[in-house]
């Protein structure tokens, strides 16, 4: 099944979380892309991946938890750096293949110590680094 079956529901109707989680489109490893956006400014901070366990942990604790594809383990954003992401809201897109996390980001979101991960800006046939690491 997919979320397509629920597209025509009226505003305010409710579905069990388990129904949505069971119908997400994940990759072979059970992962789904998650975009983190600063809740009050709309700034897109980063993209990472989540699985059902990290989604549920995030919802239960309010602290965003991802799955690290490189380390093959759970990654609680800010656990070592202190640059935590507190969940404000979570939404799923209409196809069930992406999550939007509205967060309150404390400190830089990027591992390069920049506010966001999108600092390679295309300018014609060049790419410009448009932000410096925070101190």
């Amino acid at each position: 099944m997919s979320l397509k079956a629920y597209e025509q529901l009226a505003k305010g109707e409710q579905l069990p979380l388990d129904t949505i989680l069971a119908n997400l489109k994940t990759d072979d490893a059970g992962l789904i892309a998650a975009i983190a956006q600063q809740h009050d400014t709309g700034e897109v901070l980063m993209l990472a991946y989540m699985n059902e366990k990290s989604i549920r942990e995030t919802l239960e604790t309010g602290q965003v938890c991802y799955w690290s594809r490189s380390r093959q383990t759970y990654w609680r954003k800010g656990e070592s750096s202190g640059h935590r992401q507190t969940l404000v809201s979570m939404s799923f897109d209409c196809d069930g293949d992406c999550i939007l996390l509205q967060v309150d980001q404390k400190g830089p979101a990027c591992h390069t110590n920049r506010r966001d991960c999108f600092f390679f800006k295309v300018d014609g046939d060049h790419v410009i680094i448009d932000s410096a690491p925070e101190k």
Side-chain angles (χ1 to χ4, degrees), residues 1-9 15 19-20 23 94-95:
M1 192 175 236
S2 72
L3 295 183
K4 188 155 191 67
Y6 306 107
E7 287 178 354
Q8 299 306 316
L9 293 178
L15 295 167
T19 298
I20 298 300
N23 287 286
C94 59
D95 293 324

Side-chain angles (χ1 to χ4, degrees), residues 43 83 106-110 112-116 131-135:
E43 176 185 21
H83 302 154
K106 298 298 183 205
C110 185
T112 65
N113 222 32
R114 289 174 170 87
R115 175 67 182 164
D116 65 69
S131 66
E134 296 181 15
K135 297 193 184 218

Side-chain angles (χ1 to χ4, degrees), residues 7 24 63 69 71 84 96 101:
E7 287 178 354
L24 294 179
Q63 294 298 309
R69 296 184 305 167
R71 295 185 303 254
R84 296 196 177 272
L101 304 170

Side-chain angles (χ1 to χ4, degrees), residues 115-133:
R115 175 67 182 164
D116 65 69
C117 295
F118 300 99
F119 56 88
F120 291 105
K121 300 288 184 199
V122 176
D123 182 16
D125 62 352
H126 294 88
V127 174
I128 298 170
I129 309 303
D130 83 336
S131 66

Side-chain angles (χ1 to χ4, degrees), residues 46 48 66-80 111:
M46 56 180 280
Y66 299 107
W67 176 259
S68 171
R69 296 184 305 167
S70 60
R71 295 185 303 254
Q72 292 293 296
T73 191
Y74 290 98
W75 161 41
R76 288 149 191 97
K77 184 68 176 153
E79 196 170 44
S80 59
H111 76 281

Side-chain angles (χ1 to χ4, degrees), residues 44-116:
V44 176
L45 300 170
M46 56 180 280
L47 177 132
Y49 292 86
M50 299 177 91
N51 60 21
E52 184 174 337
K53 183 177 176 184
S54 66
I55 292 168
R56 288 186 185 278
E57 178 179 320
T58 298
L59 291 169
E60 289 169 9
T61 66
Q63 294 298 309
V64 180
C65 176
Y66 299 107
W67 176 259
S68 171
R69 296 184 305 167
S70 60
R71 295 185 303 254
Q72 292 293 296
T73 191
Y74 290 98
W75 161 41
R76 288 149 191 97
K77 184 68 176 153
E79 196 170 44
S80 59
S81 68
H83 302 154
R84 296 196 177 272
Q85 286 181 349
T86 302
L87 182 69
V88 174
S89 69
M90 180 184 292
S91 302
F92 302 96
D93 79 331
C94 59
D95 293 324
D97 60 5
C98 186
I99 302 170
L100 177 61
L101 304 170
Q102 296 280 320
V103 302
D104 187 18
Q105 175 70 48
K106 298 298 183 205
C110 185
H111 76 281
T112 65
N113 222 32
R114 289 174 170 87
R115 175 67 182 164
D116 65 69

